[in-house]
Amino acid sequence: SYSVLALKTCSQPMVSCMLELFHTNSTELLGLFELCGYMSLSHEKVALFSAVPRPHGKSLAHRSELKQAKRIVVKLGSAVVTRDECGLALGRLASIVEQVAMLQNQGREMMIVTSGAVAFGKQRLRHEILLSQSVRQALHSGQNQLKEMSVPVLEARACAAAGQSGLMALYETMFTQYSTCTAQILVTNLDFHDEQKRRNLNSTLHELLRMNIVPIINTNDAVVPPPVPNSDLQGVISIKDNDSLAARLAVEMKADLLIALSDVEGLYDRPPGTDDAKLIDIFYPGDQQSITYGTKSRVGIGGMEAKVKAALWALQGGTSVVIANGTHPKVTGHVITDIVEGKKVGTFFSEVKPAGPTVEQQTEMARHAGRALASLDPEQRGEIICSLADLLTEKKDEILSANKRDMELATTSGRLSQPLIDRLSLSSAKLNSLAIGLRQLAVSSRDSVGRVLRRTKVANNLELEQITVPIGVLLVIFESRPDCLPQVSALAIASGNALLLKGGKEASNTNRILHQLTQEALSSHGVTDAIQLVSTREEVEDLCRLDKLIDLIIPRGSSQLVRDIQRAAKGIPVLGHSEGICHIYVDNEASIDKAIDIVRDSKCDYPAACNAMETLLIHRDLLRTPIFDQIIDMLRTEHVKIHAGPRFASYLTFSPSEVKSLRTEYGDLECCIEVVDSMQDAVDHIHKYGSSHTDVIVTENEETAEQFLQQVDSACVFWNSSSRFADGYRFGLGAEVGISTARIHARGPVGLEGLLTTKWVLRGAGHTVADFSEQGSMKYLHENIPVPQKGFS
């Protein structure tokens, strides 16, 4: 009686929420409602009230957390399963089955909600009808009337009845190839609205998952009524389509993730294919007003609006959702596993809105402010760089304090190698050097953007100029080295480029304060947003997919990082070097003192640097001579671990450990020693095993040195000097964004000029190409015009 009194004082929405907690059956609820005065409620509506699932916890907030998903529902839309509206897309299904089986074998609990029975049955029935008609007509009417046969319109429920068994047989055969067992479950609305049936369904599914079986669920289209207008009540969705079924099932089974595969990349802010339609990376509840929906799928009955509604309902119930393309031939084979790995695929539904802008928004902000930066006078950009240099010295204590926190965390975590910890460290001397380099850059950059490279008088009153312009939006990804941030920022400012910075977590405190100082310097001319620090959970691989927003990627870090980025950035140019396998060749005419000093500096000054020596090549004539013995003694004194190359090992009775590979970048106090017969042999070795970074010859023979300098095809080639000189600051560039071993655009230490491209400007007076035809009145002159030099170095 107290419950009835309580219900009488509640509003109908509140009653529905209370009933969610009761979980009694429909008959008992109907009686309860009648006592409370809700006489107009039907059994079906009461059943819908009682069927509202209780949230089983919060959904995963970020894509990176999808790796934790234990129970996953994969929904295959009609457009994914079918081909040309009739028949199944066997290739797509095979790749989807392979991915589901792989995840199942990893220990995850996989469920599939599938369409396709109607299409499979339609194909089958059409074949049977045509065969039957051809036989009858052949018997009664003669062969000449076979062409007039027509297939009657097939009723969908009959097609489903004929196709469901074949669809399941196909799934069973495919999953058997991966030693995975499947089970078929057909459901209708009543199975969710009737409490006993709902409990039975829930129990069956849990038992199947416990036995490591993949349940394959479909609506029982053989008995389902025709689609009706949406009659959802109080946020409870029916299962009039498989999107709703998948959402309902995912929440009912407390699934961690629902992957809804369709024939579009995800959710767009307007119909795909229309002008300016943008794929929405993350969709939040409440964003529905910003969406303009298009037409439904050519084969499905849901449409994107139904998918969004189902996804939001599942999200509210505690299940994360991703809507993605399951038909694209280039991604179908890994779309499911990519999603589970947290990659940026499709549209991810999240209840947690980030405090700041998304990385896409950051890029747009940087591009807009970057254009304003490029339009500033050279003196103004120089002022910004000088201001940043001043801030590095004025705020030295704050920077070093933040760096100390990063160093302490890195040391206690034990996750970083010693070379990376060395790169993480900042000091007063490093900050002073940075400030000096930035001021040097400010002076040399005063005639960078808009500099005229070439002027040509094409014809009378028609002049052409080639001028330098910014590349656009740069993405620089760097590990450990926080000193990279002000260097790269200054170069971007000098060249008028927008910049996205993605630093490693190990330097997050240092990077944060350095970026704040950079923005403080930029604010003096109102271009604060031109340089953005990506501090969200964006994976590096996901950033490399932003080919419509980013113009150039520059990785600074380990060779593994560079290789990973080069593989991931399929649509964006990458400027960098994959490895720094640098050689020092000590010729038989080398000076002992020079050789020892150069080898020591190249290996021991900063062994973690990419321009440190990794392989020492010794001329054969130097073996068992004082110069060789002194070099070995010096390396041992410096605690350098020596690995022997194959030829060097063959000369020794007791040799150091033989190298596993001559293409090793040690990045530590280790190096390889190998013997060569001549300068030409050294060049051949470098070309075979080197990385085209920096290679050095030590010799007193000028002719030999010049041949080496000409023949070695590396970005930097030195004579009688340490490989550690391969650096933008040491080359007088002020700073560098990295060292490139590519053979186009920029090569070697990349400073200001490497961040500029060109455009052509033509100034005429109504000229047309027709004026220069055979019948035209004008002739091309193509005379070079002197370009005024303004001191750019």
Side-chain angles (χ1 to χ4, degrees):
S1 59
Y2 286 108
S3 299
V4 170
L5 285 172
L7 283 169
K8 282 185 175 180
T9 62
C10 294
S11 64
Q12 185 166 325
M14 289 181 67
V15 172
S16 68
C17 294
M18 294 173 68
L19 292 175
E20 179 185 337
L21 304 176
F22 292 164
H23 268 270
T24 51
N25 65 40
S26 301
T27 305
E28 292 170 338
L29 283 175
L30 187 61
L32 191 59
F33 272 114
E34 286 174 350
L35 285 172
C36 296
Y38 295 108
M39 302 303 295
S40 61
L41 291 177
S42 65
H43 279 272
E44 183 180 2
K45 289 183 178 179
V46 173
L48 284 171
F49 271 125
S50 65
V52 175
R54 286 183 292 179
H56 58 269
K58 290 186 177 180
S59 60
L60 302 172
H62 306 281
R63 283 187 186 269
S64 57
E65 296 174 352
L66 295 180
K67 298 175 183 176
Q68 306 167 14
K70 170 73 173 175
R71 184 172 291 173
I72 302 171
V73 176
V74 178
K75 182 262 175 180
L76 307 179
S78 302
V80 175
V81 177
T82 62
R83 172 180 46 80
D84 298 330
E85 302 186 32
C86 185
L88 300 182
L90 297 179
R92 287 201 292 264
L93 276 180
S95 64
I96 288 168
V97 166
E98 180 180 17
Q99 293 171 81
V100 171
M102 186 177 78
L103 293 171
Q104 179 84 359
N105 292 332
Q106 289 177 358
R108 304 180 198 266
E109 297 174 337
M110 304 298 296
M111 293 179 279
I112 293 178
V113 174
T114 184
S115 303
V118 174
F120 196 102
K122 185 182 293 186
Q123 182 185 42
R124 196 169 165 188
L125 290 180
R126 279 181 173 176
H127 181 268
E128 292 297 324
I129 291 171
L130 286 173
L131 181 62
S132 174
Q133 286 183 350
S134 64
V135 171
R136 286 198 302 271
Q137 291 190 15
L139 291 174
H140 298 97
S141 306
Q143 199 72 21
N144 59 338
Q145 295 188 15
L146 286 178
K147 297 179 182 177
E148 299 175 5
M149 288 189 303
S150 61
V151 179
V153 176
L154 299 174
E155 203 273 329
R157 287 192 290 270
C159 292
Q164 183 63 37
S165 59
L167 179 65
M168 275 309 302
L170 182 63
Y171 274 121
E172 185 174 357
T173 301
M174 288 181 169
F175 273 106
T176 300
Q177 305 302 313
Y178 303 97
S179 302
T180 303
C181 186
T182 60
Q184 171 183 258
I185 296 179
L186 297 176
V187 295
T188 64
N189 244 335
L190 294 176
D191 297 315
F192 288 94
H193 295 167
D194 183 283
E195 185 61 25
Q196 186 59 51
K197 290 184 177 181
R198 182 168 165 238
R199 283 199 293 263
N200 291 344
L201 174 62
N202 191 295
S203 174
T204 300
L205 288 169
H206 275 97
E207 183 64 15
L208 291 173
L209 294 176
R210 187 187 67 81
M211 293 189 293
N212 201 34
I213 294 172
V214 177
I216 299 178
I217 304 103
N218 196 359
T219 50
N220 193 349
D221 292 323
V223 298
V224 76
V228 294
N230 194 348
S231 58
D232 297 349
L233 181 65
Q234 297 292 343
V236 180
I237 60 175
S238 63
I239 60 166
K240 65 184 186 304
D241 58 68
N242 273 355
D243 295 309
S244 303
L245 168 60
R248 186 66 180 266
L249 185 78
V251 175
E252 184 73 25
M253 292 299 296
K254 298 180 171 60
D256 302 304
L257 173 62
L258 166 60
I259 299 174
L261 297 183
S262 180
D263 58 351
V264 292
E265 305 301 322
L267 178 60
Y268 286 78
D269 58 354
R270 60 194 68 190
T274 59
D275 291 341
D276 300 324
K278 292 183 179 179
L279 178 66
I280 298 173
D281 172 40
I282 305 178
F283 189 82
Y284 304 98
D287 285 354
Q288 295 94 313
Q289 302 302 320
S290 63
I291 304 299
T292 303
Y293 295 103
T295 57
K296 295 181 180 179
S297 165
R298 59 180 175 79
V299 288
I301 62 171
M304 187 53 73
E305 190 169 4
K307 289 176 176 59
V308 172
K309 184 173 184 182
L312 290 173
W313 190 84
L315 190 68
Q316 187 180 15
T319 297
S320 299
V321 183
V322 175
I323 296 177
N325 192 337
T327 64
H328 197 295
K330 290 186 178 179
V331 298
T332 304
H334 47 82
V335 60
I336 298 172
T337 51
D338 279 357
I339 290 169
V340 176
E341 288 173 10
K343 294 180 181 177
K344 188 172 283 190
V345 178
T347 300
F348 173 62
F349 286 72
S350 174
E351 290 188 294
V352 180
K353 264 196 171 181
T358 66
V359 68
E360 289 85 358
Q361 291 170 333
Q362 281 187 286
T363 310
E364 292 288 357
M365 291 160 59
R367 185 184 292 278
H368 179 74
R371 287 171 178 153
L373 174 67
S375 67
L376 294 177
D377 294 334
E379 291 75 16
Q380 292 175 309
R381 289 196 299 275
E383 288 170 7
I384 295 173
I385 297 170
C386 288
S387 173
L388 176 56
D390 293 340
L391 287 169
L392 290 178
T393 52
E394 290 171 13
K395 306 287 185 179
K396 184 185 302 183
D397 292 341
E398 294 176 40
I399 297 169
L400 294 179
S401 175
N403 186 245
K404 183 181 178 182
R405 290 197 298 274
D406 286 329
M407 290 288 290
E408 289 170 350
L409 289 170
T411 306
T412 31
S413 70
R415 292 195 302 267
L416 291 185
S417 63
Q418 190 57 46
L420 286 179
I421 291 178
D422 292 342
R423 292 179 182 180
L424 177 60
S425 174
L426 285 182
S427 64
S428 294
K430 271 191 178 181
L431 291 175
N432 288 334
S433 295
L434 271 173
I436 293 170
L438 263 55
R439 292 189 184 98
Q440 181 182 351
L441 178 64
V443 173
S444 65
S445 68
R446 286 178 182 164
D447 187 28
S448 54
V449 180
R451 181 164 57 101
V452 179
L453 299 177
R454 177 185 301 175
R455 295 181 68 196
T456 305
K457 187 174 183 180
V458 179
N460 289 330
N461 298 321
L462 186 63
E463 291 189 2
L464 178 68
E465 287 183 344
Q466 184 186 20
I467 63 173
T468 55
V469 292
I471 289 173
V473 178
L474 312 177
L475 167 62
V476 176
I477 302 169
F478 56 101
E479 291 176 321
S480 292
R481 297 178 57 175
D483 55 327
C484 172
L485 194 151
Q487 280 186 338
V488 174
S489 297
L491 283 166
I493 294 165
S495 58
N497 283 291
L499 176 63
L500 259 69
L501 292 157
K502 174 66 173 174
K505 295 177 184 176
E506 66 280 355
S508 58
N509 292 303
T510 317
N511 288 338
R512 190 178 302 113
I513 187 169
L514 289 173
H515 178 248
Q516 289 171 357
L517 298 179
T518 304
Q519 290 201 308
E520 184 177 338
L522 288 164
S523 65
S524 61
H525 287 284
V527 288
T528 308
D529 291 336
I531 296 178
Q532 300 282 331
L533 180 64
V534 180
S535 55
T536 62
R537 296 188 181 213
E538 297 292 334
E539 297 291 336
V540 167
E541 190 167 334
D542 291 331
L543 291 172
C544 292
R545 295 171 187 258
L546 302 177
D547 57 301
K548 294 182 180 178
L549 299 173
I550 294 168
D551 300 295
L552 179 67
I553 300 177
I554 305 171
R556 291 192 66 174
S558 67
S559 57
Q560 187 60 51
L561 170 73
V562 180
R563 282 195 298 269
D564 289 344
I565 291 172
Q566 287 173 333
R567 279 195 296 266
K570 295 175 181 174
I572 310 175
V574 177
L575 188 151
H577 63 279
S578 58
E579 291 169 310
I581 304 175
C582 303
H583 297 76
I584 305 292
Y585 165 56
V586 180
D587 187 52
N588 59 343
E589 297 183 64
S591 158
I592 294 179
D593 293 337
K594 289 178 184 177
I596 291 173
D597 289 343
I598 289 169
V599 171
R600 179 193 288 114
D601 191 75
S602 297
K603 179 71 261 183
C604 308
D605 176 66
Y606 188 13
C610 63
N611 57 14
M613 181 195 79
E614 304 295 1
T615 299
L616 174 61
L617 300 177
I618 300 285
H619 193 285
R620 181 184 58 187
D621 294 347
L622 296 179
L623 290 178
R624 300 182 181 89
T625 65
I627 185 171
F628 177 75
D629 293 339
Q630 289 182 45
I631 289 173
I632 296 298
D633 290 343
M634 178 274 295
L635 291 173
R636 286 174 177 164
T637 302
E638 297 287 346
H639 306 291
V640 177
K641 183 178 180 180
I642 298 173
H643 302 274
R647 291 195 63 189
F648 181 43
S650 69
Y651 284 98
L652 305 173
T653 306
F654 299 99
S655 68
S657 59
E658 187 170 339
V659 292
K660 295 179 181 178
S661 170
L662 289 166
R663 292 190 178 93
T664 302
E665 182 180 15
Y666 298 100
D668 207 343
L669 285 173
E670 296 182 62
C671 75
C672 167
I673 296 180
E674 183 58 309
V675 175
V676 292
D677 293 332
S678 64
M679 182 276 294
Q680 189 60 53
D681 197 13
V683 171
D684 294 341
H685 179 102
I686 290 169
H687 287 164
K688 185 173 182 179
Y689 299 108
S691 60
S692 301
H693 191 294
T694 302
D695 298 291
V696 178
I697 183 172
V698 182
T699 186
E700 295 303 300
N701 188 314
E702 184 175 352
E703 184 180 348
T704 302
E706 288 300 330
Q707 289 179 10
F708 183 91
L709 296 176
Q710 293 298 320
Q711 291 184 35
V712 172
D713 185 20
S714 295
C716 300
V717 191
F718 301 162
W719 172 25
N720 284 350
S721 58
S722 168
S723 63
R724 293 276 292 119
F725 279 105
D727 175 84
Y729 172 72
R730 297 180 183 119
F731 279 7
L733 304 180
E736 66 172 40
V737 293
I739 293 181
S740 171
T741 54
R743 286 171 172 78
I744 54 175
H745 184 53
R747 198 174 190 208
V750 180
L752 177 58
E753 288 189 273
L755 299 183
L756 294 169
T757 185
T758 63
K759 72 177 178 181
W760 299 87
V761 176
L762 190 66
R763 294 182 174 89
H767 294 78
T768 65
V769 171
D771 294 335
F772 296 86
S773 65
E774 290 184 7
Q775 293 79 29
S777 59
M778 303 192 72
K779 299 293 181 184
Y780 289 111
L781 296 177
H782 292 141
E783 294 178 356
N784 290 331
I785 304 173
V787 177
Q789 299 300 317
K790 298 181 181 178
F792 185 86
S793 59

